[in-house]
Amino acid sequence: MEQRFVMKCGGSTLAALPDEFFRELKELQQDGVKPVIVHGGGPAISESLTKLGIASEFVNGLRVTSDEVLDVVEMVLAGAINGEIVRKIMQSGADALGLSGVDGGLITAAPVENADEIGFVGDVTDVKASLIEGVMAMNYIPVIAPIGIDASGQRYNINADTAAGAVASHLGVERMIVVTDVPGIMKEIDGEKRVLPSVTDAEIEEMIASGDIYGGMIPKVRAAMKCIHGQVKEVVIVSGQEPGVLTRAVREGGVGTRIMASEGGAS
Ligand SMILES: Nc1ncnc2c1ncn2[C@@H]1O[C@H](COP(=O)(O)OP(=O)(O)O)[C@@H](O)[C@H]1O
Ligand SMILES: CC(=O)N[C@@H](CCC(=O)OP(=O)(O)O)C(=O)O
């Protein structure tokens, strides 16, 4: 498989990512692997909103985003979180460059269908792959905050799983790794919660319908299904706390849950 991959780092796990995770990232980069990071930060946004006394709620996993909320989302994602990831990568000895989707018009967005209900939440309409490729060509790991912009200059809050899937599709990478706080997609089998080694899109639909997949896992599997219908061959969901997780996901497989298109191709 090709050396480039997109990695989505979820806010659920960012603060707990061990130093070893960043060491592995550096070692992989030294071996010629080219990661692109898209990050979330949902819990940190909620914490800042609470501190500022701004109410925040979610509709179908997406944050209702007023102008006031959007200011905080951008401040936390493009500011604090992006900077923290870049710093940790630099401390490990690799080079990283932080970007928001607004920078250079990297992520173009349009309002989601139910914008009257949830405000400035965006769907990705385009990604300037050439900008990301330029950063990679300079041997910097691009670290991207999921804020989008439209032609009028309006900013949008984009779910980080959605943004990562769109970046993977537009770059045309073969693999996306989704790093979160659980070791994969889990299902209760014979009274015991187990990690499923792989699932097809048909199985995912069944698990959403049955309630086995819920909450924050839904945007992940939806983004995965959308991109494996394009050039991306597999999406792997893993825990950032599992030792050696990156090397295993990139080199060996057999870690987390692998999502592939159903037999016979995707719709
Ligand atoms: N079938 C499932 N297997 C594992 N986790 C699931 C499943 N369905 C829902 N989840 C939930 O999804 C969460 C991960 O999503 P989220 O909290 O949004 O993480 P992130 O910040 O990494 O995007 C898990 O902690 C778990 O509570
Ligand atoms: C529209 C929307 O819901 N945006 C998310 C963006 C951050 C995110 O997705 O972070 P995680 O990956 O940590 O969940 C939010 O405001 O929380």
Side-chain angles (χ1 to χ4, degrees):
M1 211 176 254
E2 72 158 348
Q3 297 283 57
R4 299 183 310 163
F5 70 95
V6 168
M7 175 163 71
K8 188 268 174 162
C9 292
S12 64
T13 189
L14 277 173
L17 285 178
D19 290 346
E20 195 207 327
F21 182 89
F22 293 96
R23 248 196 322 274
E24 262 192 90
L25 192 63
K26 181 199 74 176
E27 282 164 12
L28 284 169
Q29 199 206 20
Q30 279 175 340
D31 284 352
V33 171
K34 294 200 167 282
V36 175
I37 295 177
V38 178
H39 63 84
I45 297 169
S46 297
E47 201 181 303
S48 291
L49 286 168
T50 304
K51 276 189 198 150
L52 292 164
I54 302 170
S56 130
E57 55 166 325
F58 287 84
V59 171
N60 293 330
L62 298 176
R63 189 185 305 275
V64 177
T65 306
S66 63
D67 229 344
E68 197 182 25
V69 169
L70 194 50
D71 278 342
V72 178
V73 168
E74 189 170 34
M75 182 175 80
V76 173
L77 292 181
I81 305 258
N82 192 277
E84 195 179 333
I85 298 172
V86 169
R87 274 198 310 279
K88 284 186 175 165
I89 295 175
M90 306 278 293
Q91 270 164 10
S92 79
D95 280 325
L97 188 79
L99 295 159
S100 133
V102 171
D103 296 322
L106 178 58
I107 299 178
T108 312
V112 288
E113 248 173 39
N114 56 337
D116 4 338
E117 195 187 354
I118 62 173
F120 296 113
V121 175
D123 273 330
V124 179
T125 52
D126 201 7
V127 175
K128 254 187 210 166
S130 58
L131 191 47
I132 301 173
E133 284 159 354
V135 172
M136 290 161 94
M138 290 191 299
N139 273 326
Y140 283 83
I141 299 175
V143 179
I144 302 169
I147 315 281
I149 186 144
D150 70 13
S152 74
Q154 174 64 52
R155 301 163 297 168
Y156 295 91
N157 179 9
I158 302 173
N159 171 273
D161 299 312
T162 309
V167 167
S169 294
H170 282 85
L171 274 176
V173 297
E174 291 179 1
R175 180 192 278 132
M176 175 160 85
I177 299 174
V178 179
V179 182
T180 184
D181 63 345
V182 283
I185 299 180
M186 296 192 285
K187 190 174 181 182
E188 200 168 307
I189 300 169
D190 299 332
E192 207 183 303
K193 277 224 152 188
R194 300 208 190 138
V195 177
L196 301 177
S198 68
V199 286
T200 62
D201 46 1
E203 288 163 342
I204 286 173
E205 288 300 352
E206 276 171 33
M207 286 182 74
I208 294 176
S210 67
D212 284 322
I213 290 179
Y214 56 90
M217 192 54 74
I218 294 180
K220 284 179 221 326
V221 294
R222 292 250 178 257
M225 289 195 293
K226 198 165 171 194
C227 61
I228 53 165
H229 289 181
Q231 218 163 339
V232 182
K233 292 205 173 76
E234 67 169 38
V235 175
V236 192
I237 300 181
V238 297
S239 159
Q241 263 92 70
E242 204 157 316
V245 67
L246 273 186
T247 315
R248 288 172 66 199
V250 174
R251 298 262 187 248
E252 298 153 21
V255 65
T257 301
R258 210 167 141 230
I259 301 175
M260 306 152 299
S262 294
E263 195 77 2
S267 54

